[in-house]
mmCIF file of all heavy atoms in Angstrom:
data_model
loop_
_atom_site.group_PDB
_atom_site.id
_atom_site.type_symbol
_atom_site.label_atom_id
_atom_site.label_comp_id
_atom_site.label_asym_id
_atom_site.label_seq_id
_atom_site.Cartn_x
_atom_site.Cartn_y
_atom_site.Cartn_z
ATOM 1 N N VAL A 1659 -9.077 17.998 -15.168
ATOM 2 C CA VAL A 1659 -7.922 18.031 -16.021
ATOM 3 C C VAL A 1659 -7.082 16.738 -15.823
ATOM 4 O O VAL A 1659 -6.783 16.382 -14.666
ATOM 5 C CB VAL A 1659 -7.053 19.274 -15.849
ATOM 6 C CG1 VAL A 1659 -6.548 19.415 -14.404
ATOM 7 C CG2 VAL A 1659 -5.833 19.242 -16.750
ATOM 8 N N ALA A 1660 -6.624 16.125 -16.884
ATOM 9 C CA ALA A 1660 -5.735 14.957 -16.831
ATOM 10 C C ALA A 1660 -6.229 13.938 -15.812
ATOM 11 O O ALA A 1660 -5.493 13.399 -14.982
ATOM 12 C CB ALA A 1660 -4.328 15.371 -16.509
ATOM 13 N N ASN A 1661 -7.592 13.605 -15.881
ATOM 14 C CA ASN A 1661 -8.159 12.585 -14.946
ATOM 15 C C ASN A 1661 -8.016 12.941 -13.497
ATOM 16 O O ASN A 1661 -8.015 12.101 -12.618
ATOM 17 C CB ASN A 1661 -7.512 11.233 -15.234
ATOM 18 C CG ASN A 1661 -7.748 10.680 -16.619
ATOM 19 O OD1 ASN A 1661 -8.798 10.839 -17.084
ATOM 20 N ND2 ASN A 1661 -6.734 10.144 -17.229
ATOM 21 N N ALA A 1662 -7.854 14.185 -13.164
ATOM 22 C CA ALA A 1662 -7.828 14.738 -11.798
ATOM 23 C C ALA A 1662 -8.830 15.791 -11.620
ATOM 24 O O ALA A 1662 -9.215 16.473 -12.500
ATOM 25 C CB ALA A 1662 -6.420 15.230 -11.449
ATOM 26 N N ASP A 1663 -9.348 15.908 -10.337
ATOM 27 C CA ASP A 1663 -10.210 17.078 -10.020
ATOM 28 C C ASP A 1663 -9.322 18.187 -9.418
ATOM 29 O O ASP A 1663 -8.511 17.922 -8.582
ATOM 30 C CB ASP A 1663 -11.288 16.575 -8.995
ATOM 31 C CG ASP A 1663 -12.149 15.518 -9.536
ATOM 32 O OD1 ASP A 1663 -12.630 15.698 -10.725
ATOM 33 O OD2 ASP A 1663 -12.513 14.558 -8.814
ATOM 34 N N VAL A 1664 -9.543 19.315 -9.895
ATOM 35 C CA VAL A 1664 -8.696 20.487 -9.496
ATOM 36 C C VAL A 1664 -9.596 21.599 -8.968
ATOM 37 O O VAL A 1664 -10.606 21.973 -9.595
ATOM 38 C CB VAL A 1664 -7.932 21.073 -10.721
ATOM 39 C CG1 VAL A 1664 -7.049 22.164 -10.250
ATOM 40 C CG2 VAL A 1664 -7.072 19.990 -11.366
ATOM 41 N N ALA A 1665 -9.369 21.951 -7.759
ATOM 42 C CA ALA A 1665 -10.148 23.070 -7.062
ATOM 43 C C ALA A 1665 -9.166 24.242 -6.876
ATOM 44 O O ALA A 1665 -8.136 24.161 -6.279
ATOM 45 C CB ALA A 1665 -10.627 22.594 -5.694
ATOM 46 N N SER A 1666 -9.521 25.367 -7.613
ATOM 47 C CA SER A 1666 -8.766 26.585 -7.530
ATOM 48 C C SER A 1666 -9.437 27.550 -6.662
ATOM 49 O O SER A 1666 -10.570 27.978 -6.906
ATOM 50 C CB SER A 1666 -8.516 27.158 -8.916
ATOM 51 O OG SER A 1666 -7.788 28.364 -8.892
ATOM 52 N N THR A 1667 -8.707 28.085 -5.644
ATOM 53 C CA THR A 1667 -9.241 29.096 -4.727
ATOM 54 C C THR A 1667 -8.462 30.368 -4.785
ATOM 55 O O THR A 1667 -7.313 30.329 -4.635
ATOM 56 C CB THR A 1667 -9.364 28.541 -3.274
ATOM 57 O OG1 THR A 1667 -10.124 27.311 -3.266
ATOM 58 C CG2 THR A 1667 -10.008 29.559 -2.338
ATOM 59 N N THR A 1668 -9.245 31.513 -4.896
ATOM 60 C CA THR A 1668 -8.533 32.789 -4.929
ATOM 61 C C THR A 1668 -9.109 33.663 -3.908
ATOM 62 O O THR A 1668 -10.403 33.817 -3.734
ATOM 63 C CB THR A 1668 -8.729 33.482 -6.292
ATOM 64 O OG1 THR A 1668 -8.175 32.678 -7.343
ATOM 65 C CG2 THR A 1668 -8.017 34.817 -6.324
ATOM 66 N N LEU A 1669 -8.277 34.207 -2.959
ATOM 67 C CA LEU A 1669 -8.718 35.206 -1.955
ATOM 68 C C LEU A 1669 -8.146 36.588 -2.303
ATOM 69 O O LEU A 1669 -6.954 36.700 -2.625
ATOM 70 C CB LEU A 1669 -8.166 34.752 -0.629
ATOM 71 C CG LEU A 1669 -8.686 33.444 -0.006
ATOM 72 C CD1 LEU A 1669 -7.874 33.047 1.175
ATOM 73 C CD2 LEU A 1669 -10.183 33.589 0.272
ATOM 74 N N LEU A 1670 -9.051 37.605 -2.304
ATOM 75 C CA LEU A 1670 -8.533 38.951 -2.605
ATOM 76 C C LEU A 1670 -8.762 39.861 -1.408
ATOM 77 O O LEU A 1670 -9.856 39.789 -0.776
ATOM 78 C CB LEU A 1670 -9.373 39.433 -3.842
ATOM 79 C CG LEU A 1670 -9.160 38.668 -5.152
ATOM 80 C CD1 LEU A 1670 -10.097 39.199 -6.312
ATOM 81 C CD2 LEU A 1670 -7.689 38.731 -5.668
ATOM 82 N N TYR A 1671 -7.858 40.728 -1.210
ATOM 83 C CA TYR A 1671 -7.853 41.660 -0.059
ATOM 84 C C TYR A 1671 -6.920 42.826 -0.329
ATOM 85 O O TYR A 1671 -6.212 42.782 -1.311
ATOM 86 C CB TYR A 1671 -7.513 40.956 1.215
ATOM 87 C CG TYR A 1671 -6.101 40.362 1.213
ATOM 88 C CD1 TYR A 1671 -5.044 40.958 1.932
ATOM 89 C CD2 TYR A 1671 -5.760 39.156 0.581
ATOM 90 C CE1 TYR A 1671 -3.827 40.510 1.903
ATOM 91 C CE2 TYR A 1671 -4.584 38.652 0.518
ATOM 92 C CZ TYR A 1671 -3.517 39.304 1.179
ATOM 93 O OH TYR A 1671 -2.284 38.804 1.188
ATOM 94 N N GLY A 1672 -6.851 43.759 0.564
ATOM 95 C CA GLY A 1672 -5.943 44.912 0.337
ATOM 96 C C GLY A 1672 -6.186 45.626 -0.948
ATOM 97 O O GLY A 1672 -5.172 45.968 -1.617
ATOM 98 N N PHE A 1673 -7.440 45.901 -1.255
ATOM 99 C CA PHE A 1673 -7.762 46.603 -2.556
ATOM 100 C C PHE A 1673 -7.091 47.983 -2.629
ATOM 101 O O PHE A 1673 -6.986 48.698 -1.623
ATOM 102 C CB PHE A 1673 -9.256 46.726 -2.750
ATOM 103 C CG PHE A 1673 -9.903 45.364 -2.956
ATOM 104 C CD1 PHE A 1673 -10.575 44.732 -1.928
ATOM 105 C CD2 PHE A 1673 -9.957 44.810 -4.249
ATOM 106 C CE1 PHE A 1673 -11.139 43.495 -2.133
ATOM 107 C CE2 PHE A 1673 -10.525 43.582 -4.450
ATOM 108 C CZ PHE A 1673 -11.164 42.922 -3.383
ATOM 109 N N GLY A 1674 -6.561 48.264 -3.873
ATOM 110 C CA GLY A 1674 -5.940 49.558 -4.105
ATOM 111 C C GLY A 1674 -4.433 49.589 -3.748
ATOM 112 O O GLY A 1674 -3.771 50.650 -3.889
ATOM 113 N N VAL A 1675 -3.836 48.450 -3.433
ATOM 114 C CA VAL A 1675 -2.408 48.284 -3.157
ATOM 115 C C VAL A 1675 -1.568 48.709 -4.427
ATOM 116 O O VAL A 1675 -2.024 48.388 -5.573
ATOM 117 C CB VAL A 1675 -2.073 46.885 -2.671
ATOM 118 C CG1 VAL A 1675 -2.318 45.884 -3.787
ATOM 119 C CG2 VAL A 1675 -0.668 46.821 -2.170
ATOM 120 N N PRO A 1676 -0.450 49.411 -4.268
ATOM 121 C CA PRO A 1676 0.419 49.625 -5.383
ATOM 122 C C PRO A 1676 0.939 48.298 -6.023
ATOM 123 O O PRO A 1676 1.325 47.396 -5.356
ATOM 124 C CB PRO A 1676 1.552 50.447 -4.815
ATOM 125 C CG PRO A 1676 1.000 51.012 -3.553
ATOM 126 C CD PRO A 1676 0.093 49.997 -3.045
ATOM 127 N N VAL A 1677 0.969 48.252 -7.329
ATOM 128 C CA VAL A 1677 1.433 47.084 -8.063
ATOM 129 C C VAL A 1677 2.509 47.594 -9.100
ATOM 130 O O VAL A 1677 2.169 48.274 -9.991
ATOM 131 C CB VAL A 1677 0.295 46.359 -8.826
ATOM 132 C CG1 VAL A 1677 0.840 45.192 -9.557
ATOM 133 C CG2 VAL A 1677 -0.789 45.918 -7.824
ATOM 134 N N GLY A 1678 3.739 47.297 -8.823
ATOM 135 C CA GLY A 1678 4.814 47.659 -9.694
ATOM 136 C C GLY A 1678 5.402 46.509 -10.530
ATOM 137 O O GLY A 1678 6.630 46.354 -10.577
ATOM 138 N N VAL A 1679 4.555 45.898 -11.276
ATOM 139 C CA VAL A 1679 4.988 44.751 -12.097
ATOM 140 C C VAL A 1679 5.633 45.261 -13.399
ATOM 141 O O VAL A 1679 4.989 46.109 -14.116
ATOM 142 C CB VAL A 1679 3.832 43.792 -12.403
ATOM 143 C CG1 VAL A 1679 4.300 42.663 -13.326
ATOM 144 C CG2 VAL A 1679 3.248 43.235 -11.110
ATOM 145 N N ARG A 1680 6.779 44.785 -13.654
ATOM 146 C CA ARG A 1680 7.470 45.044 -14.972
ATOM 147 C C ARG A 1680 7.718 43.724 -15.734
ATOM 148 O O ARG A 1680 8.334 42.863 -15.115
ATOM 149 C CB ARG A 1680 8.698 45.766 -14.768
ATOM 150 C CG ARG A 1680 8.577 47.216 -14.259
ATOM 151 C CD ARG A 1680 9.875 47.988 -14.269
ATOM 152 N NE ARG A 1680 9.704 49.395 -13.831
ATOM 153 C CZ ARG A 1680 10.719 50.236 -13.775
ATOM 154 N NH1 ARG A 1680 11.972 49.889 -14.118
ATOM 155 N NH2 ARG A 1680 10.480 51.514 -13.423
ATOM 156 N N LEU A 1681 7.284 43.669 -16.962
ATOM 157 C CA LEU A 1681 7.576 42.477 -17.691
ATOM 158 C C LEU A 1681 9.005 42.355 -18.135
ATOM 159 O O LEU A 1681 9.667 43.416 -18.325
ATOM 160 C CB LEU A 1681 6.654 42.419 -18.977
ATOM 161 C CG LEU A 1681 5.170 42.467 -18.601
ATOM 162 C CD1 LEU A 1681 4.326 42.464 -19.916
ATOM 163 C CD2 LEU A 1681 4.724 41.248 -17.693
ATOM 164 N N PRO A 1682 9.591 41.170 -18.207
ATOM 165 C CA PRO A 1682 10.961 41.005 -18.579
ATOM 166 C C PRO A 1682 11.370 41.565 -19.932
ATOM 167 O O PRO A 1682 10.533 41.402 -20.884
ATOM 168 C CB PRO A 1682 11.158 39.500 -18.548
ATOM 169 C CG PRO A 1682 10.002 38.958 -17.767
ATOM 170 C CD PRO A 1682 8.890 39.903 -18.035
ATOM 171 N N ALA A 1683 12.556 42.040 -20.110
ATOM 172 C CA ALA A 1683 13.084 42.351 -21.410
ATOM 173 C C ALA A 1683 13.277 41.213 -22.242
ATOM 174 O O ALA A 1683 13.459 40.050 -21.715
ATOM 175 C CB ALA A 1683 14.330 43.182 -21.217
ATOM 176 N N GLU A 1684 13.277 41.370 -23.545
ATOM 177 C CA GLU A 1684 13.516 40.247 -24.478
ATOM 178 C C GLU A 1684 14.787 39.503 -24.172
ATOM 179 O O GLU A 1684 14.832 38.243 -24.280
ATOM 180 C CB GLU A 1684 13.535 40.713 -25.869
ATOM 181 C CG GLU A 1684 13.278 39.680 -26.996
ATOM 182 C CD GLU A 1684 11.922 39.018 -26.881
ATOM 183 O OE1 GLU A 1684 10.939 39.726 -26.531
ATOM 184 O OE2 GLU A 1684 11.880 37.799 -27.186
ATOM 185 N N LYS A 1685 15.869 40.185 -23.863
ATOM 186 C CA LYS A 1685 17.140 39.483 -23.546
ATOM 187 C C LYS A 1685 17.096 38.587 -22.312
ATOM 188 O O LYS A 1685 18.001 37.722 -22.178
ATOM 189 C CB LYS A 1685 18.277 40.545 -23.398
ATOM 190 C CG LYS A 1685 18.098 41.501 -22.182
ATOM 191 C CD LYS A 1685 19.166 42.527 -22.145
ATOM 192 C CE LYS A 1685 19.008 43.464 -20.942
ATOM 193 N NZ LYS A 1685 19.025 42.756 -19.646
ATOM 194 N N ASP A 1686 16.131 38.790 -21.488
ATOM 195 C CA ASP A 1686 16.037 38.019 -20.244
ATOM 196 C C ASP A 1686 15.120 36.830 -20.377
ATOM 197 O O ASP A 1686 14.875 36.083 -19.457
ATOM 198 C CB ASP A 1686 15.492 38.835 -19.078
ATOM 199 C CG ASP A 1686 16.484 39.968 -18.770
ATOM 200 O OD1 ASP A 1686 17.698 39.726 -18.765
ATOM 201 O OD2 ASP A 1686 15.991 41.111 -18.392
ATOM 202 N N ILE A 1687 14.555 36.582 -21.586
ATOM 203 C CA ILE A 1687 13.633 35.494 -21.856
ATOM 204 C C ILE A 1687 14.424 34.326 -22.455
ATOM 205 O O ILE A 1687 15.169 34.524 -23.451
ATOM 206 C CB ILE A 1687 12.487 35.958 -22.755
ATOM 207 C CG1 ILE A 1687 11.644 37.029 -22.043
ATOM 208 C CG2 ILE A 1687 11.594 34.739 -23.104
ATOM 209 C CD1 ILE A 1687 10.610 37.579 -22.899
#
Side-chain angles (χ1 to χ4, degrees):
V1659 55
N1661 298 318
D1663 294 321
V1664 182
S1666 174
T1667 303
T1668 303
L1669 294 172
L1670 298 174
Y1671 60 103
F1673 291 98
V1675 65
V1677 178
V1679 177
R1680 290 187 177 182
L1681 299 181
E1684 195 65 33
K1685 64 182 179 60
D1686 296 323
I1687 298 175

